[in-house]
Amino acid sequence: MSLVAEAFVSQIAGKVPFIHVGNQVVSELGPIVQFVKAKGHSLSDGLDEVQKAEMKAYMELVNNMLLTAELYLQWCDEATVGEITHARYGSPYPWPLNHILAYQKQWEVKRKMKAIGWGNKTLDQVLEDVDQCCQALSQRLGTQPYFFNKQPTELDALVFGHLYTILTTQLTNDELCEKVKNYSNLLAFCRRIEQHYFEDRGKGSSSIRSS
Amino acid sequence: MEQIAKTWALREPARGPWFLRPGLRPTLHLSSTAPALRCPDWEVPVRKLPSAGVLPAFRGDSRSRSWFAAGAFLSPQRAPDLDGQQAPRPRLSANSNRLLDGPRRGGLGGKSCLASLCYTQGPVRVVPDRMPPSLGKGPWSLPASPSRSSPPQKYNADYDLSARQGADTLAFMSLLEEKLLPVLIHTFWVDTKNYVEVTRKWYAEAMPFPLNFFLPGRMQRQFMERLQLLCGEHRPENEEELEKELYQEARECLTLLSQRLGSQKFFFGDAPASLDAFVFGYLAPLLQARLPSGRLQAHLRGLHNLCAYCAHILSLYFPWDGAEVPPPRQTPAGPEAEEEPYRRRNQVLSVLAGLAAMAGYALLSGIVSIQRAAPARAPGTRSLSMADEEEDE
């Protein structure tokens, strides 16, 4: 499903996630939030300026650490690449293209890793970074239901998206999942959001409880 | 402070603006002479964090002092929080590593050097090494920090921070790296006017003779490629729009920093921490450089609390270089006068070298020959004899 979406979007907007509203397609979290805000809905209206600054900073932390670590694990760890990523990425395409496109994507991701300084990192270092990021998020969340007390914000959505994906995706290496599971309040946070917002779909597809 | 200033002065000539003397970047020195960057033999008395930036006194030899002054690793201990939780502390080893690897790693040359310099001179608090190995999982580090193998040192600028403040530090460092760094790279390296008039000149002046012709260009190509990789994948079709968006995000980032700082002296109260050094490393070059086209600079100058913050740090920790935030138009003559003797000397030397080369070629190839004959010859016969000699050859 996600691969079909990616193929579709790559011709129109370029990136997932995307929303299709009328004849407009808006992709990526930032523009989607702006679009929805322009329509009059915003999750972070109740925050003051300092809290908004913190929210943006934490969102960048998640993008910087978690997203990059996920990309690293998928494309720079040879075991995962060979067993899962190549097959998954190339599956919509016929025979020569599936290998070519997969290698091309891998080369692009490796170049990007080198540009941001992650090219020489080992897997252990990446996992340590993820651990620090999760620790920061865990410290920030504390015992509250959401990051900014009672109301969910864009940060909650972003963190849930990443953590849920990490917790529910089966990879050859389960260490990433284990790192996140060390923090019980993050686990409880994900379960709470899943139950509250996705309880209709949580029964059929994979859920955090089953992993 | 004077010792450290002298050490720096001995290492590099005082050319160019103080905050971006690329020669100060210790790549040329540390990578060859300081393998471990440790300071094991020091006994530093334990003191409370001073509020005025007075350095602790060192009992060590002058070599360790100079290592320290060169912005050595300062990775804080993982000290327990007040309620016993493990409080992760960010450390500047990423910046120090960028220090070691110089232009290959990126960063803005002077920015990471500046952050480390500010960190070492300012908020270093000494805590005794009381971390048993079982408690910590290892100290925090900045994003993209490659080195974990260096042992924790005895210095910790974030000792007084709570766990949440430590988490905030990491978050704000990520924010700066994601939003502000691409635009700073663009401002200093990609924008043609700025690059030609400011950045290339700085680096070329600080580099020795054969390197100053091609290294700045190479650095520029690396930075452009890096910028392309970081941002170009989003919307490659319209560069101007992309630029506009990047600058808008950077302005927003600066505004967020300003809101977070508020009216405090430092980000976490009255005492500086590693986040302050990090932010200062980004903001000070942008604020102080005399850029011909500085849209972001204009925006930053409009945020008065950030300007006051930088000026405050400058006055506390870099007093020998002048603490004010000078309006750039008022002192154009000063640094140009400094460069003047070097420029004139270089011009004279190059003219002399050219003349010597031409004269040498002329003598060696026989176009002109020195005659030892009597000086009473008429000019006409002299020219005849020269022509004869040429025919002989």
Side-chain angles (χ1 to χ4, degrees):
Chain A
M1 171 65 183
S2 67
L3 292 167
V4 171
E6 198 168 328
F8 170 72
V9 166
S10 67
Q11 294 166 23
I12 299 184
K15 287 265 177 191
V16 285
F18 69 98
I19 55 173
H20 197 171
V21 178
N23 55 354
Q24 276 181 303
V25 177
V26 186
S27 67
E28 290 190 6
L29 178 66
I32 290 177
V33 166
Q34 296 291 331
F35 180 81
V36 170
K37 198 167 175 179
K39 300 290 177 189
H41 304 282
S42 173
L43 286 178
S44 49
D45 276 341
L47 302 181
D48 63 22
E49 299 299 335
V50 174
Q51 285 178 320
K52 276 192 184 150
E54 282 184 16
M55 185 187 83
K56 295 244 159 74
Y58 276 94
M59 284 174 75
E60 288 311 321
L61 174 69
V62 169
N63 278 333
N64 197 357
M65 298 273 229
L66 283 186
L67 179 62
T68 321
E70 286 161 12
L71 273 180
Y72 182 93
L73 197 62
Q74 281 185 28
W75 291 102
C76 301
D77 178 36
E78 295 304 328
T80 317
V81 166
E83 280 190 36
I84 298 182
T85 319
H86 266 204
R88 201 174 59 128
Y89 190 80
S91 62
Y93 307 108
W95 167 66
L97 266 186
N98 54 357
H99 290 298
I100 295 171
L101 290 178
Y103 278 116
Q104 187 185 29
K105 178 77 179 175
Q106 185 180 14
W107 181 73
E108 268 173 34
V109 171
K110 281 195 167 160
R111 257 180 82 203
K112 186 175 173 193
M113 292 290 147
K114 222 180 273 185
I116 57 177
W118 282 49
N120 291 330
K121 284 198 174 185
T122 63
L123 187 61
D124 290 331
Q125 289 170 345
V126 169
L127 291 173
E128 217 179 294
D129 282 339
V130 170
D131 192 40
Q132 287 177 9
C133 178
C134 291
Q135 186 164 20
L137 291 173
S138 173
Q139 301 278 7
R140 184 66 180 80
L141 184 62
T143 48
Q144 298 167 336
Y146 299 106
F147 278 95
F148 289 95
N149 213 359
K150 301 225 167 26
Q151 293 298 324
T153 54
E154 289 92 348
L155 175 62
D156 300 278
L158 183 65
V159 170
F160 172 74
H162 279 283
L163 293 185
Y164 185 83
T165 314
I166 291 175
L167 289 167
T168 53
T169 309
Q170 298 274 347
L171 292 176
T172 51
N173 198 341
D174 275 335
E175 288 186 30
L176 191 63
C177 190
E178 295 303 318
K179 291 280 179 194
V180 176
K181 281 187 185 165
N182 284 336
Y183 298 95
S184 55
N185 61 345
L186 290 181
L187 221 55
F189 167 78
C190 290
R191 283 201 184 120
R192 195 181 315 122
I193 291 192
E194 192 197 359
Q195 280 165 4
H196 193 67
Y197 293 101
F198 297 100
E199 53 194 0
D200 296 326
R201 298 177 214 169
K203 292 166 192 164
S205 55
S206 65
S207 72
I208 300 177
R209 276 161 284 185
S210 61
S211 65
Chain B
M1 298 277 251
E2 286 81 28
Q3 289 283 349
I4 294 167
K6 272 188 212 155
T7 314
W8 276 117
L10 284 173
R11 284 182 183 274
E12 295 298 330
R15 280 181 295 177
W18 61 270
F19 57 89
L20 238 179
R21 282 179 204 151
L24 278 187
R25 194 189 331 134
T27 49
L28 302 174
H29 309 290
L30 286 183
S31 53
S32 55
T33 61
L37 287 178
R38 289 184 219 185
C39 313
D41 299 320
W42 296 358
E43 292 171 8
V44 189
V46 176
R47 280 192 199 179
K48 281 206 164 211
L49 180 65
S51 59
V54 173
L55 286 179
F58 298 122
R59 268 180 287 152
D61 58 6
S62 62
R63 203 166 54 128
S64 1
R65 269 203 297 266
S66 62
W67 281 11
F68 179 75
F73 283 144
L74 288 171
S75 67
Q77 290 290 339
R78 197 177 170 79
D81 200 358
L82 286 176
D83 51 357
Q85 283 181 351
Q86 287 173 11
R89 310 280 181 234
R91 72 178 182 188
L92 267 182
S93 58
N95 276 333
S96 307
N97 270 321
R98 282 198 210 125
L99 214 63
L100 287 178
D101 292 340
R104 287 197 316 258
R105 281 275 180 210
L108 280 180
K111 169 184 59 62
S112 46
C113 168
L114 183 62
S116 300
L117 202 55
C118 176
Y119 186 84
T120 60
Q121 292 181 25
V124 175
R125 180 192 177 163
V126 175
V127 296
D129 186 3
R130 58 179 176 202
M131 277 303 301
S134 56
L135 262 189
K137 290 180 197 164
W140 269 20
S141 59
L142 286 180
S145 159
S147 163
R148 298 280 186 282
S149 57
S150 70
Q153 306 295 323
K154 291 182 185 164
Y155 306 97
N156 189 348
D158 298 330
Y159 186 65
D160 289 329
L161 297 186
S162 68
R164 186 149 149 182
Q165 285 172 329
D168 280 350
T169 303
L170 209 62
F172 276 98
M173 285 177 178
S174 297
L175 178 72
L176 282 179
E177 282 211 359
E178 287 279 325
K179 298 285 185 189
L180 200 53
L181 182 60
V183 176
L184 286 184
I185 291 178
H186 187 276
T187 305
F188 279 98
W189 290 96
V190 178
D191 187 302
T192 325
K193 253 177 150 183
N194 289 343
Y195 171 66
V196 165
E197 289 181 31
V198 175
T199 320
R200 190 170 66 181
K201 228 169 57 159
W202 281 341
Y203 279 80
E205 276 170 4
M207 289 176 182
F209 160 62
L211 297 176
N212 59 348
F213 287 114
F214 61 88
L215 265 190
R218 195 170 139 215
M219 288 169 77
Q220 191 204 21
R221 278 191 297 276
Q222 286 174 348
F223 278 120
M224 282 180 82
E225 197 190 313
R226 183 170 166 191
L227 199 59
Q228 188 72 22
L229 283 172
L230 285 178
C231 315
E233 63 195 22
H234 290 286
R235 272 161 284 269
E237 64 269 1
N238 198 343
E239 269 198 36
E240 278 194 23
E241 249 187 53
L242 179 65
E243 239 182 72
K244 223 165 74 171
E245 207 180 296
L246 280 181
Y247 272 86
Q248 196 184 356
E249 284 184 358
R251 280 194 289 268
E252 201 188 307
C253 172
L254 289 176
T255 315
L256 290 175
L257 271 183
S258 173
Q259 283 163 357
R260 178 67 180 81
L261 179 65
S263 53
Q264 297 170 304
K265 258 174 38 180
F266 298 102
F267 274 96
F268 296 119
D270 282 336
S274 55
L275 179 62
D276 298 288
F278 195 82
V279 169
F280 178 75
Y282 276 85
L283 294 186
L286 186 61
L287 202 54
Q288 302 273 28
R290 274 182 295 276
L291 297 172
S293 67
R295 304 172 258 171
L296 198 59
Q297 194 178 47
H299 182 79
L300 178 57
R301 290 221 173 106
L303 298 167
H304 298 293
N305 61 343
L306 288 181
C307 297
Y309 170 76
C310 289
H312 183 55
I313 293 184
L314 277 175
S315 66
L316 280 181
Y317 304 122
F318 298 94
W320 61 85
D321 282 314
E324 304 299 320
V325 177
R329 313 282 175 259
Q330 287 181 11
T331 57
E336 282 183 8
E338 280 176 27
E339 295 168 4
E340 193 62 22
Y342 294 116
R343 191 190 297 167
R344 190 54 61 83
R345 181 198 74 184
N346 289 342
Q347 282 172 347
V348 167
L349 278 179
S350 56
V351 165
L352 284 178
L355 282 176
M358 284 193 294
Y361 175 71
L363 279 175
L364 285 173
S365 66
I367 296 173
V368 171
S369 62
I370 301 176
Q371 302 197 358
R372 294 211 177 94
R377 281 190 180 211
T381 48
R382 188 187 293 166
S383 63
L384 276 179
S385 67
M386 274 169 60
D388 284 339
E389 285 177 6
E390 278 180 21
E391 284 172 15
D392 290 341
E393 283 169 12

Coordinates of all heavy atoms in Angstrom, one line a residue, chain B residues 244-276:
Chain B
K244 N 14.1 31.2 -1.0 CA 13.2 32.0 -0.2 C 12.7 31.2 1.0 O 12.6 31.7 2.2 CB 12.0 32.4 -1.0 CG 11.6 33.9 -0.9 CD 10.7 34.4 -2.0 CE 9.3 33.8 -1.8 NZ 8.4 34.4 -2.8
E245 N 12.4 30.0 0.8 CA 11.8 29.1 1.8 C 12.9 28.9 2.9 O 12.6 28.9 4.1 CB 11.4 27.8 1.2 CG 10.2 27.2 2.0 CD 9.9 25.9 1.3 OE1 9.4 25.9 0.2 OE2 10.1 24.8 1.9
L246 N 14.1 28.6 2.5 CA 15.2 28.3 3.4 C 15.4 29.5 4.3 O 15.5 29.4 5.5 CB 16.5 28.0 2.7 CG 16.7 26.7 2.1 CD1 18.0 26.6 1.5 CD2 16.6 25.6 3.2
Y247 N 15.4 30.7 3.7 CA 15.7 31.9 4.5 C 14.5 32.2 5.4 O 14.7 32.7 6.5 CB 15.9 33.1 3.5 CG 17.3 33.3 3.2 CD1 17.9 32.6 2.1 CD2 18.2 34.0 3.9 CE1 19.2 32.7 1.7 CE2 19.5 34.1 3.6 CZ 20.0 33.4 2.5 OH 21.3 33.5 2.2
Q248 N 13.3 31.9 5.0 CA 12.2 32.1 5.8 C 12.3 31.2 7.1 O 12.0 31.6 8.2 CB 10.9 31.8 5.1 CG 9.6 32.3 5.8 CD 8.4 31.9 5.0 OE1 8.5 31.3 3.9 NE2 7.3 32.2 5.5
E249 N 12.7 29.9 6.8 CA 12.8 29.0 8.0 C 13.9 29.5 8.9 O 13.8 29.3 10.1 CB 13.1 27.6 7.4 CG 11.9 26.9 6.9 CD 12.2 25.5 6.4 OE1 13.4 25.1 6.5 OE2 11.3 24.8 6.0
A250 N 15.0 30.0 8.3 CA 16.1 30.4 9.2 C 15.6 31.6 10.0 O 16.0 31.7 11.2 CB 17.3 30.8 8.3
R251 N 14.9 32.5 9.4 CA 14.4 33.7 10.2 C 13.5 33.2 11.3 O 13.5 33.7 12.4 CB 13.6 34.6 9.3 CG 14.5 35.5 8.4 CD 13.7 36.7 7.9 NE 12.9 36.2 6.8 CZ 13.2 36.2 5.5 NH1 14.4 36.6 5.2 NH2 12.4 35.7 4.6
E252 N 12.6 32.2 11.0 CA 11.8 31.7 12.0 C 12.6 31.1 13.1 O 12.3 31.2 14.3 CB 10.9 30.6 11.4 CG 9.6 30.3 12.1 CD 8.9 29.2 11.5 OE1 8.7 29.2 10.2 OE2 8.6 28.2 12.2
C253 N 13.6 30.4 12.8 CA 14.5 29.7 13.8 C 15.1 30.8 14.7 O 15.1 30.6 15.9 CB 15.6 28.9 13.0 SG 16.8 28.3 14.1
L254 N 15.6 31.9 14.1 CA 16.2 32.9 14.9 C 15.1 33.5 15.8 O 15.4 33.8 17.0 CB 16.8 34.0 14.0 CG 18.0 33.6 13.3 CD1 18.4 34.8 12.3 CD2 19.1 33.3 14.2
T255 N 13.9 33.7 15.3 CA 12.8 34.3 16.1 C 12.5 33.3 17.3 O 12.3 33.8 18.4 CB 11.6 34.5 15.3 OG1 12.0 35.1 14.1 CG2 10.6 35.4 16.0
L256 N 12.5 32.0 17.0 CA 12.3 31.1 18.1 C 13.3 31.1 19.1 O 13.1 31.0 20.3 CB 12.2 29.6 17.5 CG 11.0 29.3 16.6 CD1 11.2 27.9 16.0 CD2 9.7 29.4 17.4
L257 N 14.6 31.2 18.7 CA 15.7 31.3 19.7 C 15.5 32.6 20.5 O 15.7 32.5 21.8 CB 17.0 31.5 18.9 CG 17.7 30.2 18.6 CD1 19.1 30.6 17.9 CD2 18.0 29.4 19.8
S258 N 15.1 33.6 19.9 CA 14.9 34.9 20.6 C 13.8 34.7 21.6 O 13.9 35.2 22.8 CB 14.6 36.0 19.6 OG 14.3 37.2 20.3
Q259 N 12.7 34.0 21.2 CA 11.6 33.8 22.2 C 12.0 33.0 23.3 O 11.6 33.2 24.5 CB 10.4 33.2 21.4 CG 9.7 34.3 20.6 CD 8.8 33.6 19.6 OE1 8.7 32.4 19.5 NE2 8.1 34.4 18.9
R260 N 12.9 32.0 23.0 CA 13.3 31.1 24.1 C 14.2 31.8 25.1 O 14.2 31.5 26.3 CB 14.0 29.9 23.5 CG 14.6 28.9 24.4 CD 13.5 28.1 25.2 NE 14.0 27.2 26.1 CZ 14.4 27.4 27.3 NH1 14.5 28.7 27.7 NH2 14.9 26.5 28.1
L261 N 15.1 32.6 24.5 CA 16.0 33.3 25.4 C 15.3 34.4 26.2 O 15.6 34.5 27.4 CB 17.1 34.0 24.5 CG 18.1 34.8 25.3 CD1 19.0 33.9 26.2 CD2 19.1 35.5 24.3
G262 N 14.3 35.1 25.6 CA 13.6 36.0 26.4 C 14.5 37.1 26.9 O 15.3 37.7 26.1
S263 N 14.4 37.4 28.2 CA 15.2 38.5 28.7 C 16.3 38.0 29.6 O 16.9 38.7 30.4 CB 14.3 39.5 29.5 OG 13.6 38.8 30.4
Q264 N 16.5 36.6 29.6 CA 17.5 36.1 30.4 C 18.9 36.4 29.9 O 19.1 36.7 28.7 CB 17.4 34.5 30.4 CG 16.1 34.1 31.0 CD 15.9 32.6 30.8 OE1 16.0 32.1 29.6 NE2 15.7 31.8 31.8
K265 N 19.9 36.2 30.8 CA 21.2 36.4 30.4 C 21.8 35.3 29.6 O 22.5 35.5 28.6 CB 22.1 36.6 31.6 CG 22.4 38.1 31.9 CD 23.2 38.4 33.1 CE 24.2 37.5 33.6 NZ 24.9 37.9 34.8
F266 N 21.5 34.1 30.0 CA 21.8 32.9 29.2 C 20.6 32.0 29.1 O 19.6 32.3 29.7 CB 23.0 32.1 29.9 CG 24.2 32.9 30.0 CD1 24.6 33.5 31.2 CD2 25.1 33.1 28.9 CE1 25.8 34.2 31.3 CE2 26.2 33.8 29.0 CZ 26.6 34.4 30.2
F267 N 20.7 31.0 28.3 CA 19.5 30.2 28.0 C 19.0 29.5 29.2 O 17.8 29.2 29.3 CB 19.8 29.1 26.9 CG 19.7 29.7 25.5 CD1 20.8 30.2 24.8 CD2 18.4 29.7 24.9 CE1 20.6 30.7 23.6 CE2 18.3 30.3 23.7 CZ 19.4 30.7 23.0
F268 N 19.8 29.1 30.1 CA 19.3 28.4 31.3 C 19.7 29.2 32.6 O 20.3 28.7 33.5 CB 19.9 27.0 31.4 CG 19.6 26.1 30.3 CD1 20.5 25.6 29.4 CD2 18.2 25.8 30.0 CE1 20.2 24.8 28.4 CE2 17.9 25.0 28.9 CZ 18.8 24.5 28.1
G269 N 19.2 30.4 32.6 CA 19.4 31.2 33.8 C 20.6 32.1 33.7 O 20.9 32.7 32.7
D270 N 21.3 32.2 34.9 CA 22.4 33.1 35.0 C 23.8 32.6 34.6 O 24.7 33.3 34.5 CB 22.5 33.7 36.4 CG 21.4 34.7 36.6 OD1 21.0 35.3 35.7 OD2 21.1 34.9 37.8
A271 N 23.8 31.3 34.5 CA 25.1 30.7 34.2 C 25.1 30.1 32.8 O 24.1 29.5 32.4 CB 25.4 29.6 35.2
P272 N 26.2 30.2 32.1 CA 26.2 29.7 30.7 C 26.4 28.2 30.7 O 26.9 27.6 31.6 CB 27.5 30.3 30.1 CG 28.4 30.6 31.3 CD 27.5 30.9 32.4
A273 N 25.9 27.6 29.6 CA 26.0 26.1 29.5 C 26.5 25.9 28.0 O 26.7 26.8 27.3 CB 24.6 25.5 29.7
S274 N 26.5 24.6 27.7 CA 27.0 24.3 26.4 C 26.1 24.8 25.3 O 26.6 25.1 24.2 CB 27.3 22.8 26.2 OG 26.1 22.1 26.5
L275 N 24.9 24.9 25.5 CA 24.0 25.4 24.5 C 24.3 26.8 24.1 O 24.3 27.3 23.0 CB 22.5 25.3 24.9 CG 21.5 25.9 24.0 CD1 21.5 25.1 22.7 CD2 20.1 25.9 24.5
D276 N 24.7 27.6 25.2 CA 25.1 29.0 24.9 C 26.3 29.1 24.0 O 26.4 29.9 23.1 CB 25.4 29.7 26.2 CG 24.2 29.7 27.1 OD1 23.3 30.5 26.8 OD2 24.2 29.0 28.1

